[in-house]
Amino acid sequence: MARNQPNIIMTGTPGVGKTSHAELLAQSTGLKHLSINQIVQERGCHERWDDALQTWIVDEDKLLDVIEDEVRVGGYIIDWHACDLFPRNWIDLVVVLRTDSTNLYDRLKARGYPEAKLQENLDSEIMEVVAEEAREAYDEECVVELWSRTAEEMEGNVERIEQWVQNWRTDNQEHQGSDSANEKTSPISG
């Protein structure tokens, strides 16, 4: 089924600004913000609670089953720290947000993260774990890495992604009904 709206994954280590970006984009583009953390809690897509990391252990199969009908229609900004579990044919753009370790440390400390969880996320950002997962799971032209250290960078990122959404809509409106519908729109520059 051809979608008339794109699906975007907004991903990155916790604390890089995924939710802030997703909320602004939802307001400006009309796409729906799909917070996976919220879905996991509200729809019971978890196996158990991890006391050490203070987080739910997600049942990925159940999560995908729960959101599949919604996401296949299109028009979602999927906000989560992982991206490689979502099927390629659901996704049009993967935005990996990055920040430096000082900003990340300050943001996670302000959230009250336990030391083990804070260190795990700092290590993940330094080692580019999420970016590497995105590059391995999706075609190169679908993945873009953007810095999210300041409010100005976030504003610029949102503007770039808004332009990408406009281009996707134009490209796919022209191809509606043809075999080339849902072709990949050129990536945004980062």
Side-chain angles (χ1 to χ4, degrees):
M1 168 175 62
R3 294 188 307 274
N4 63 3
Q5 295 291 329
N7 285 322
I8 299 170
I9 296 177
M10 191 69 57
T11 193
T13 306
V16 295
K18 296 178 299 293
T19 300
S20 297
H21 278 78
E23 288 174 352
L24 288 171
L25 279 168
Q27 291 172 6
S28 65
T29 63
L31 300 176
K32 296 176 204 90
H33 177 200
L34 189 65
S35 168
I36 297 301
N37 287 335
Q38 191 173 2
I39 297 293
V40 166
Q41 291 176 29
E42 291 176 358
R43 300 188 194 177
C45 300
H46 48 79
E47 297 171 2
R48 63 180 169 79
W49 177 257
D50 184 316
D51 282 326
L53 295 177
Q54 296 290 296
T55 191
W56 290 107
I57 302 302
V58 175
D59 180 335
E60 293 180 357
D61 291 331
K62 184 174 183 180
L63 172 65
L64 292 175
D65 288 344
V66 163
I67 67 171
E68 180 175 10
D69 290 342
E70 294 167 80
V71 175
R72 281 189 174 273
V73 172
Y76 285 93
I77 303 165
I78 301 170
D79 166 4
W80 205 32
H81 64 271
C83 63
D84 56 346
L85 70 148
F86 302 104
R88 284 183 183 197
N89 64 344
W90 290 12
I91 305 303
D92 301 292
L93 179 66
V94 179
V95 178
V96 181
L97 295 174
R98 306 289 313 278
T99 195
D100 59 71
S101 56
T102 302
N103 272 331
L104 187 61
Y105 179 87
D106 292 345
R107 292 172 187 177
L108 297 180
K109 195 74 169 166
R111 291 182 180 183
Y113 273 36
E115 192 61 34
K117 186 174 182 178
L118 195 150
Q119 193 58 52
E120 179 183 69
N121 285 302
L122 281 170
D123 291 347
S124 177
E125 182 65 15
I126 291 166
M127 300 300 293
E128 300 185 11
V129 171
V130 178
E132 186 61 30
E133 287 173 355
R135 289 188 292 263
E136 289 177 6
Y138 299 94
D139 296 334
E140 182 180 340
E141 64 270 8
C142 295
V143 179
V144 63
E145 294 180 49
L146 300 175
W147 284 98
S148 176
R149 296 168 290 209
T150 65
E152 292 78 18
E153 284 180 338
M154 182 170 65
E155 185 178 301
N157 294 341
V158 168
E159 289 173 2
R160 286 185 211 123
I161 300 166
E162 287 170 347
Q163 184 61 55
W164 181 90
V165 170
Q166 288 177 343
N167 292 343
W168 189 97
R169 288 172 172 159
T170 300
D171 292 350
N172 285 275
Q173 186 175 27
E174 292 171 1
H175 296 109
Q176 285 297 333
S178 73
D179 289 337
S180 58
N182 291 329
E183 286 183 351
K184 298 295 180 201
T185 299
S186 298
I188 59 177
S189 58

